Amino acid sequence: MTQKPQAKYRKDYIAPSHQVDELSLTFELSPRNTIVTAVSKFRAAAGASQLVLDGVDLELQSCQVNGKEWHTREQTEAKLILNELPAEFELTIVTHISPQTNTSLEGLYLSDGAYCTQCEAEGFRKITYFMDRPDVLTTYTVTIIAETKYPFLLSNGNKVEEGTLEDGRHFAKWHDPYKKPSYLFALVAGSFDVLEDTYQTKSGREVKLALFVDKGNLHKAPHAMTSLKKAMAWDELRFGLEYDLDIYMIVAVDFFNMGAMENKGLNVFNSACVLASQETATDQDFHTIESIVGHEYFHNWTGNRITCRDWFQLSLKEGLTVFRDQEFSSDLGSRGLNRIDAVMAMRTHQFAEDSGPMAHPIRPEKVIEMNNFYTVTVYNKGAEVIRMMHTLLGEENFQKGMQLYITRHDGQAVTCDDFVNAMMDASGVNLTQFKLWYEQHGTPRLNVVTEYDSAAQRYTMTVTQQHADSDPIKAPLHIPFKLELLDEQGLSIPLLTQKGEIQRALDITEFEQRFEFEQVATKPVPVLLEDFSAPVIMEYNYSTDELLHILRFARSDYARWEAMQQIFMIAVKAAIDSGDYSLDSKVLGALSSLVKHLKGDLALLAELLSLPTFDTLASQFKTIPVDALVNVSKAFESQIAQALQQDLELAYTSSTESGSLDAQDVAVRAFKNKALYYLVRTDSTLVEDALRTQFASDNMTTKLASLKAVVSAEHEKMEALFSEFDSQWRHDALVMDKWLALHASLPNDEVITKINTLYDHPCFEKGNPNRVRALIGSFTRSNPAQFHRIDGKGYELLGDLLIELNGINPQNASRMITPFMSWRRYDETRQKLMRTQLERLASLEGLSDDLYEKVEKALAQ
Ligand code: B3K
Ligand code: ZN
């Protein structure tokens, strides 16, 4: 590594030197030479005469102060420094930029011929020189001038003027009345099909809704539109929050680094998170779209109206907005299934991040490249922290806290402390100790030991909390601990303590605490950390029998699923320890009885029948036993398939659905697809017909499941189905992403060669993050046996790709490097092989800040 990028620290925050009263931007769009004119009114705070502006990859044409070229200035690679300035002045800056050659997908770039922007976190500086920080808020007026082949010229706020110019170009002028930071600025220019609708807010205002999609995709837009209207109604109902502009626009683009972006009044979305029809998208895709459309909409209050003071506070808006989108999905759909999804994300990805070299608190202290901190920790653990406050306060007090937060801080850029203080002040609940969750990284462990005194009818629980060795704080956290006690019949026992009945949760506030429950007539089975009431690792010596009891009787669907996961986990560990890979007949019996009874939510049943993912299993081991985990899982799946064959056949044929998107039909599909997944591992005579019918279906969930089943079992039909799918869907890149992803999950030695061939497939493109994630992301995530193969070829494939992506799109490269971050968790041979790849990157000429930060941390001792 030649030059070292500089880190920034949270403790070094200083308020901006200037205030910007208004900003007017004019864009003359052209692929290689877009002219950006920025006129702004500055006012110095506390007598500052120097102004430091951020700017990257800009060609400065002129810089005038009050109409005169300002020569007392210095320019560095990323800054423009103006000296000897008056206290108030108008600044006019003209820059040239090249959207066409901007492959980083940050700033202004071209996505398949359409101009679009992505400014969060620090992309605005690739558009013009500005104080590109979230605490500089101003009103924007934006004029876009372009050729008429770009009929739609869009920006934030309301359109105030449009027309044709003498030279044949046209223009549109937009004004956003709400002050905003630069990261929420957006511009789009292109040719689209538009789905229009309206929404009437609860106070009776009519809001225009417009969804812009690539030509020919209109039939895939209605679901996103419906989701938006549901989100608007839900936010009014549950949070009392109403939309504030007259128009809300969403534009779907094909080249996008993440899911979507909440720019004020003009969201830009990855087309994968908008477009869906039953023929092209799975039920999971429909669910994801609803949740992301909701998420971006909810940002309008939690993020846009009230934003972050600095980027270290990112969880202020992201943790809170993820919590809000999770609640949205849970109120509209199944709370249990949504909780399972959220906990899986925590356990598989967040726990790994929190125990690896990139571990950081939800409010990080030190950052080199901000884009590296849009993490599962800031987002998902951040949401868990909000959820814990919700548990401690209860819905009513939590909503009072939200109202206070909004009235106090509307229009401001604030901190996580401001949020917690509002919650505290509105509810009267002391959250001082709770604030430690914002400072501490690592996953705490809760160890529980229980004792039952039958004579006294007393049940005693001793809870201890331990924190990561690397934790610098060494103070106990405030942890809400929900639990249920089940009696022998499976009924809930009231939680009676000396201080009264526990309603919501136990408050764990010390390193070690004892709780005594009275009037417990028989030895109970405890359902500990019910609903994952805190993001911790629970340690309790459950027996398989106790877990089976929970599986049958717990009131929480999440807890029942969790019990089943624990049962599998115990079985996997025992199999690895003993070398005997047979699954306990009691477990098989329980699964079989679940399928026989076929009652309740069938989607939940599908989850109950699923083994923990490789990553979840891996998290249980200090050194990950790759081959053993893969082999035990395979062996278990085949035993489940054999043991349940008849039950599954019967359930498969007796469950029917009509292909609709109703929860009921979605659940039936989920279950049938899981059944098929197992049945292809047997000699069931039903399989051939089922595969044929499912593959011929015009419902993508049903069709794709047949392909997934044949791939996972390496069924003889695989090649034929792959090729038929290709000819049917080659014209639709988003559908082909599913096809690429399935190729990447091929469980055999040919997969690397296959991937290399697919690099040349007409639908693949390295510059498009969706394609890269579909092919290589799926390979590293869902094909552990091949990614971690002992000849290092899997690692080499990723290493080669990262080197290429570093030059094309550093943000995407930095996300794709994740599997290498936990290299120390593997055996010596694999460690050495992964280290070689990390060292290749470390010595790379022109290594981006994004990769530098991760590679350096990964290799540090
Ligand atoms: N706020 C954006 C994420 C921006 C990522 C920048 N690298 C989307 C979201 O969380 O809603
Ligand atoms: Zn967000």
Side-chain angles (χ1 to χ4, degrees), residues 283 334 336-337 340 557 560-561 591-610 647-658 662-676 678 701:
D283 295 337
S334 148
L337 286 172
I340 291 171
D557 283 344
R560 300 179 54 226
W561 169 80
L591 293 174
S592 152
S593 110
L594 286 173
V595 177
K596 268 201 189 85
H597 289 99
L598 207 64
K599 56 172 201 267
D601 183 351
L602 291 192
L604 179 70
L605 180 55
E607 294 297 338
L608 292 174
L609 291 173
S610 307
D647 305 323
L648 289 170
E649 284 174 341
L650 202 65
Y652 184 91
T653 29
S654 66
S655 317
T656 51
E657 46 93 23
S658 64
D662 290 354
Q664 190 83 28
D665 276 3
V666 170
V668 171
R669 282 195 288 277
F671 171 71
K672 288 187 81 168
N673 292 340
K674 181 55 69 176
L676 182 64
Y678 280 119
T701 308

Coordinates of all heavy atoms in Angstrom, one line a residue, residues 283 334 336-337 340 557 560-561 591-610 647-658 662-676 678 701:
D283 N -42.3 -14.9 -4.6 CA -43.1 -14.3 -3.4 C -42.1 -13.5 -2.5 O -42.5 -12.5 -2.0 CB -43.8 -15.4 -2.6 CG -44.8 -16.1 -3.4 OD1 -45.3 -15.5 -4.4 OD2 -45.1 -17.3 -3.2
S334 N -47.1 -11.6 8.5 CA -46.9 -12.5 9.7 C -45.8 -12.0 10.6 O -44.7 -11.8 10.2 CB -46.6 -13.9 9.3 OG -45.8 -14.5 10.2
G336 N -44.5 -13.4 13.2 CA -43.5 -14.5 13.5 C -42.5 -14.7 12.3 O -41.3 -14.7 12.6
L337 N -43.0 -14.7 11.1 CA -42.1 -14.9 10.0 C -41.1 -13.8 9.8 O -40.0 -13.9 9.5 CB -42.8 -15.2 8.7 CG -43.5 -16.5 8.6 CD1 -44.4 -16.6 7.3 CD2 -42.5 -17.7 8.5
I340 N -38.5 -14.0 12.3 CA -37.5 -15.0 12.0 C -36.5 -14.5 10.9 O -35.3 -14.6 11.1 CB -38.2 -16.3 11.4 CG1 -39.0 -17.0 12.5 CG2 -37.2 -17.2 10.7 CD1 -39.9 -18.1 12.0
D557 N -44.5 -17.8 17.8 CA -44.0 -18.6 16.6 C -42.5 -18.5 16.4 O -41.9 -19.5 16.1 CB -44.7 -18.0 15.3 CG -46.1 -18.4 15.2 OD1 -46.5 -19.4 15.9 OD2 -46.8 -17.8 14.4
R560 N -40.9 -21.0 18.7 CA -41.0 -22.4 18.2 C -40.0 -22.7 17.2 O -39.3 -23.7 17.2 CB -42.4 -22.6 17.7 CG -43.5 -22.4 18.8 CD -44.9 -22.7 18.2 NE -45.0 -24.0 17.6 CZ -45.5 -24.2 16.4 NH1 -46.1 -23.2 15.8 NH2 -45.6 -25.4 16.0
W561 N -39.8 -21.7 16.3 CA -38.8 -21.9 15.2 C -37.4 -22.0 15.8 O -36.6 -22.8 15.5 CB -38.9 -20.7 14.2 CG -37.8 -20.6 13.3 CD1 -37.6 -21.4 12.1 CD2 -36.6 -19.8 13.4 NE1 -36.4 -21.0 11.5 CE2 -35.8 -20.1 12.2 CE3 -36.2 -18.8 14.3 CZ2 -34.6 -19.4 12.0 CZ3 -35.0 -18.2 14.1 CH2 -34.2 -18.5 13.0
L591 N -40.7 -33.8 13.4 CA -40.9 -33.2 12.1 C -42.0 -33.9 11.3 O -42.9 -33.2 10.7 CB -39.6 -33.3 11.3 CG -38.4 -32.5 11.8 CD1 -37.1 -32.8 11.0 CD2 -38.7 -31.0 11.7
S592 N -42.0 -35.2 11.4 CA -43.0 -35.9 10.7 C -44.4 -35.6 11.3 O -45.4 -35.4 10.5 CB -42.7 -37.4 10.9 OG -43.9 -38.1 10.8
S593 N -44.5 -35.4 12.6 CA -45.8 -35.1 13.1 C -46.2 -33.6 12.7 O -47.4 -33.4 12.5 CB -45.9 -35.3 14.6 OG -45.9 -34.1 15.4
L594 N -45.3 -32.7 12.6 CA -45.6 -31.4 12.1 C -46.2 -31.5 10.7 O -47.2 -30.8 10.4 CB -44.4 -30.5 12.0 CG -43.8 -30.0 13.3 CD1 -42.5 -29.3 13.1 CD2 -44.8 -29.0 14.0
V595 N -45.6 -32.3 9.9 CA -46.1 -32.4 8.5 C -47.4 -33.1 8.4 O -48.3 -32.7 7.7 CB -45.0 -33.1 7.6 CG1 -45.6 -33.3 6.2 CG2 -43.7 -32.3 7.6
K596 N -47.6 -34.2 9.3 CA -48.8 -34.9 9.3 C -50.0 -34.1 9.7 O -51.1 -34.1 9.1 CB -48.7 -36.1 10.3 CG -48.2 -37.4 9.7 CD -48.6 -38.5 10.6 CE -47.9 -39.8 10.1 NZ -46.6 -40.0 10.7
H597 N -49.8 -33.2 10.7 CA -50.9 -32.4 11.2 C -51.2 -31.3 10.3 O -52.3 -30.8 10.2 CB -50.6 -31.9 12.6 CG -50.7 -33.0 13.6 ND1 -49.6 -33.7 14.1 CD2 -51.8 -33.7 14.1 CE1 -50.0 -34.7 14.9 NE2 -51.3 -34.7 14.9
L598 N -50.2 -30.8 9.6 CA -50.3 -29.8 8.6 C -51.3 -28.7 9.0 O -52.2 -28.4 8.3 CB -50.8 -30.5 7.3 CG -50.4 -29.7 6.0 CD1 -48.9 -29.8 5.8 CD2 -51.0 -30.4 4.8
K599 N -51.1 -28.1 10.2 CA -52.0 -27.1 10.6 C -51.2 -25.8 10.8 O -50.0 -25.8 10.9 CB -52.8 -27.5 11.8 CG -51.9 -27.9 13.0 CD -52.8 -28.1 14.2 CE -52.0 -28.0 15.5 NZ -51.4 -29.0 16.2
G600 N -51.9 -24.7 11.0 CA -51.3 -23.4 11.3 C -50.7 -22.8 10.0 O -51.1 -23.2 8.9
D601 N -49.8 -22.0 10.2 CA -49.2 -21.3 9.0 C -48.2 -22.2 8.3 O -47.2 -22.6 8.8 CB -48.5 -20.0 9.6 CG -47.9 -19.2 8.5 OD1 -47.9 -19.6 7.3 OD2 -47.5 -18.1 8.8
L602 N -48.5 -22.5 7.0 CA -47.7 -23.4 6.3 C -46.3 -22.8 6.0 O -45.3 -23.5 5.8 CB -48.4 -23.9 5.0 CG -49.6 -24.8 5.2 CD1 -50.0 -25.4 3.9 CD2 -49.3 -25.9 6.2
A603 N -46.3 -21.5 5.9 CA -45.0 -20.8 5.6 C -44.1 -21.0 6.8 O -42.9 -21.2 6.7 CB -45.2 -19.3 5.3
L604 N -44.7 -21.0 8.0 CA -43.9 -21.2 9.2 C -43.4 -22.7 9.2 O -42.3 -23.0 9.6 CB -44.7 -20.9 10.5 CG -44.0 -21.1 11.8 CD1 -42.9 -20.1 12.0 CD2 -45.0 -21.1 13.0
L605 N -44.3 -23.5 8.8 CA -43.9 -25.0 8.8 C -42.7 -25.2 7.8 O -41.8 -25.9 8.2 CB -45.1 -25.8 8.3 CG -44.9 -27.3 8.2 CD1 -44.4 -27.9 9.5 CD2 -46.2 -28.0 7.7
A606 N -42.7 -24.4 6.7 CA -41.6 -24.5 5.8 C -40.3 -24.1 6.5 O -39.2 -24.7 6.3 CB -41.8 -23.7 4.6
E607 N -40.4 -23.1 7.3 CA -39.2 -22.6 8.1 C -38.8 -23.7 9.1 O -37.6 -23.9 9.4 CB -39.5 -21.3 8.8 CG -39.7 -20.1 7.8 CD -38.5 -19.8 7.0 OE1 -37.4 -20.2 7.4 OE2 -38.7 -19.2 5.9
L608 N -39.8 -24.3 9.8 CA -39.5 -25.2 10.8 C -38.8 -26.4 10.2 O -37.9 -27.1 10.9 CB -40.8 -25.7 11.5 CG -41.5 -24.7 12.4 CD1 -42.8 -25.2 12.9 CD2 -40.6 -24.3 13.5
L609 N -39.0 -26.7 8.9 CA -38.4 -27.9 8.3 C -37.0 -27.6 7.8 O -36.4 -28.5 7.2 CB -39.3 -28.4 7.1 CG -40.6 -29.0 7.5 CD1 -41.5 -29.3 6.3 CD2 -40.4 -30.3 8.3
S610 N -36.6 -26.3 7.9 CA -35.3 -25.9 7.3 C -34.2 -26.0 8.3 O -34.3 -25.5 9.4 CB -35.4 -24.5 6.8 OG -36.5 -24.3 5.9
D647 N -45.2 -38.7 4.4 CA -45.9 -37.5 4.9 C -45.8 -36.3 3.9 O -46.8 -35.6 3.6 CB -45.3 -37.0 6.2 CG -45.2 -38.1 7.2 OD1 -46.1 -38.9 7.3 OD2 -44.2 -38.1 8.0
L648 N -44.6 -36.1 3.3 CA -44.4 -35.0 2.4 C -45.2 -35.2 1.1 O -45.8 -34.3 0.6 CB -42.9 -34.8 2.1 CG -42.1 -34.3 3.3 CD1 -40.6 -34.4 2.9 CD2 -42.5 -32.8 3.6
E649 N -45.2 -36.5 0.7 CA -46.0 -36.7 -0.6 C -47.5 -36.4 -0.4 O -48.1 -35.7 -1.2 CB -45.8 -38.2 -1.0 CG -44.5 -38.5 -1.6 CD -44.3 -40.0 -1.8 OE1 -45.0 -40.9 -1.2 OE2 -43.4 -40.4 -2.6
L650 N -48.0 -36.9 0.7 CA -49.4 -36.7 1.0 C -49.7 -35.2 1.2 O -50.6 -34.6 0.6 CB -49.7 -37.4 2.3 CG -51.2 -37.7 2.5 CD1 -51.6 -38.8 1.5 CD2 -51.4 -38.3 4.0
A651 N -48.8 -34.5 1.9 CA -49.0 -33.1 2.2 C -48.9 -32.3 0.9 O -49.6 -31.4 0.6 CB -48.0 -32.6 3.2
Y652 N -47.9 -32.7 0.0 CA -47.7 -32.0 -1.2 C -48.9 -32.1 -2.1 O -49.4 -31.1 -2.7 CB -46.5 -32.6 -2.0 CG -46.1 -31.9 -3.2 CD1 -45.2 -30.9 -3.2 CD2 -46.7 -32.2 -4.5 CE1 -44.9 -30.2 -4.4 CE2 -46.4 -31.6 -5.6 CZ -45.5 -30.6 -5.6 OH -45.2 -29.9 -6.8
T653 N -49.5 -33.3 -2.2 CA -50.6 -33.5 -3.1 C -51.9 -32.9 -2.5 O -52.8 -32.4 -3.3 CB -50.9 -34.9 -3.5 OG1 -50.4 -35.7 -2.4 CG2 -50.1 -35.3 -4.7
S654 N -52.0 -32.9 -1.2 CA -53.3 -32.3 -0.7 C -53.3 -30.8 -0.5 O -54.3 -30.2 -0.2 CB -53.6 -33.0 0.7 OG -52.6 -32.6 1.6
S655 N -52.1 -30.2 -0.6 CA -52.1 -28.7 -0.5 C -52.2 -28.0 -1.9 O -51.4 -28.3 -2.7 CB -50.8 -28.2 0.1 OG -50.4 -29.0 1.2
T656 N -53.2 -27.2 -2.0 CA -53.4 -26.5 -3.3 C -53.5 -25.0 -3.1 O -53.8 -24.6 -2.0 CB -54.7 -27.0 -4.0 OG1 -55.7 -26.9 -3.0 CG2 -54.5 -28.4 -4.5
E657 N -53.1 -24.3 -4.1 CA -53.2 -22.9 -4.1 C -53.6 -22.4 -5.5 O -53.4 -23.2 -6.5 CB -51.9 -22.3 -3.6 CG -50.6 -22.8 -4.3 CD -50.2 -22.1 -5.5 OE1 -50.6 -20.9 -5.6 OE2 -49.5 -22.6 -6.3
S658 N -54.1 -21.2 -5.6 CA -54.6 -20.7 -6.9 C -53.7 -19.8 -7.6 O -54.1 -19.1 -8.6 CB -55.9 -20.0 -6.6 OG -55.7 -18.9 -5.8
D662 N -52.2 -13.9 -2.1 CA -52.7 -13.9 -0.7 C -51.8 -14.7 0.2 O -51.2 -15.6 -0.3 CB -54.1 -14.7 -0.7 CG -55.1 -13.9 -1.4 OD1 -54.9 -12.7 -1.8 OD2 -56.3 -14.4 -1.6
A663 N -51.7 -14.2 1.4 CA -50.8 -14.9 2.4 C -51.0 -16.4 2.4 O -50.0 -17.2 2.4 CB -51.1 -14.3 3.8
Q664 N -52.3 -16.8 2.3 CA -52.6 -18.2 2.3 C -51.9 -19.0 1.1 O -51.2 -20.0 1.3 CB -54.1 -18.4 2.2 CG -54.6 -19.7 2.4 CD -54.8 -20.0 3.9 OE1 -55.0 -19.0 4.6 NE2 -54.7 -21.2 4.3
D665 N -52.0 -18.4 -0.1 CA -51.4 -19.1 -1.2 C -49.9 -19.0 -1.2 O -49.2 -20.0 -1.5 CB -51.9 -18.4 -2.5 CG -53.2 -19.0 -3.0 OD1 -53.8 -19.8 -2.3 OD2 -53.7 -18.5 -4.0
V666 N -49.4 -17.9 -0.7 CA -47.9 -17.7 -0.6 C -47.4 -18.8 0.4 O -46.4 -19.5 0.1 CB -47.6 -16.3 0.0 CG1 -46.1 -16.2 0.4 CG2 -47.9 -15.3 -1.1
A667 N -48.1 -19.1 1.5 CA -47.7 -20.0 2.5 C -47.8 -21.5 1.9 O -46.8 -22.2 2.1 CB -48.6 -19.9 3.7
V668 N -48.8 -21.7 1.1 CA -48.9 -23.1 0.5 C -47.7 -23.3 -0.4 O -47.0 -24.3 -0.4 CB -50.2 -23.3 -0.2 CG1 -50.2 -24.5 -1.1 CG2 -51.4 -23.3 0.7
R669 N -47.4 -22.3 -1.2 CA -46.2 -22.4 -2.1 C -44.9 -22.6 -1.4 O -44.1 -23.5 -1.7 CB -46.1 -21.1 -3.0 CG -47.1 -21.1 -4.2 CD -46.7 -20.1 -5.2 NE -46.9 -18.7 -4.8 CZ -48.0 -18.0 -4.8 NH1 -49.1 -18.6 -5.3 NH2 -48.1 -16.8 -4.4
A670 N -44.8 -21.9 -0.3 CA -43.5 -22.0 0.5 C -43.4 -23.5 1.0 O -42.4 -24.1 0.9 CB -43.5 -21.0 1.6
F671 N -44.5 -24.0 1.5 CA -44.5 -25.3 2.0 C -44.2 -26.4 0.9 O -43.4 -27.2 1.1 CB -45.8 -25.7 2.8 CG -45.8 -27.1 3.2 CD1 -45.0 -27.6 4.2 CD2 -46.6 -28.0 2.5 CE1 -45.0 -29.0 4.5 CE2 -46.6 -29.3 2.8 CZ -45.8 -29.8 3.8
K672 N -45.0 -26.3 -0.1 CA -44.8 -27.2 -1.2 C -43.4 -27.2 -1.8 O -42.9 -28.3 -2.1 CB -45.9 -27.0 -2.3 CG -47.3 -27.3 -1.9 CD -48.2 -27.2 -3.1 CE -48.2 -28.4 -4.0 NZ -49.3 -28.5 -5.0
N673 N -42.9 -26.0 -1.9 CA -41.5 -26.0 -2.4 C -40.5 -26.6 -1.5 O -39.5 -27.2 -1.9 CB -41.2 -24.5 -2.7 CG -42.0 -24.0 -3.9 OD1 -42.5 -24.8 -4.7 ND2 -42.1 -22.7 -4.0
K674 N -40.7 -26.5 -0.2 CA -39.8 -27.1 0.8 C -40.0 -28.6 0.6 O -39.0 -29.4 0.7 CB -40.2 -26.6 2.2 CG -39.3 -27.1 3.3 CD -37.9 -27.0 3.2 CE -37.4 -25.6 3.2 NZ -35.9 -25.4 3.2
A675 N -41.3 -29.1 0.5 CA -41.5 -30.5 0.4 C -40.8 -31.1 -0.9 O -40.2 -32.1 -0.8 CB -43.0 -30.7 0.3
L676 N -40.9 -30.3 -2.0 CA -40.3 -30.8 -3.2 C -38.7 -30.8 -3.0 O -38.1 -31.8 -3.5 CB -40.6 -29.8 -4.4 CG -40.1 -30.2 -5.7 CD1 -40.6 -31.6 -6.2 CD2 -40.3 -29.2 -6.8
Y678 N -37.1 -31.6 -0.4 CA -36.8 -32.9 0.2 C -37.1 -34.1 -0.7 O -36.3 -35.0 -0.8 CB -37.6 -33.0 1.5 CG -36.9 -32.2 2.7 CD1 -37.6 -31.2 3.3 CD2 -35.6 -32.6 3.1 CE1 -37.0 -30.5 4.3 CE2 -35.0 -31.8 4.1 CZ -35.7 -30.8 4.7 OH -35.0 -30.1 5.7
T701 N -42.3 -18.2 -8.4 CA -42.0 -18.9 -7.1 C -42.0 -20.4 -7.3 O -41.1 -21.2 -6.9 CB -43.0 -18.5 -6.0 OG1 -43.1 -17.1 -6.0 CG2 -42.6 -19.1 -4.7

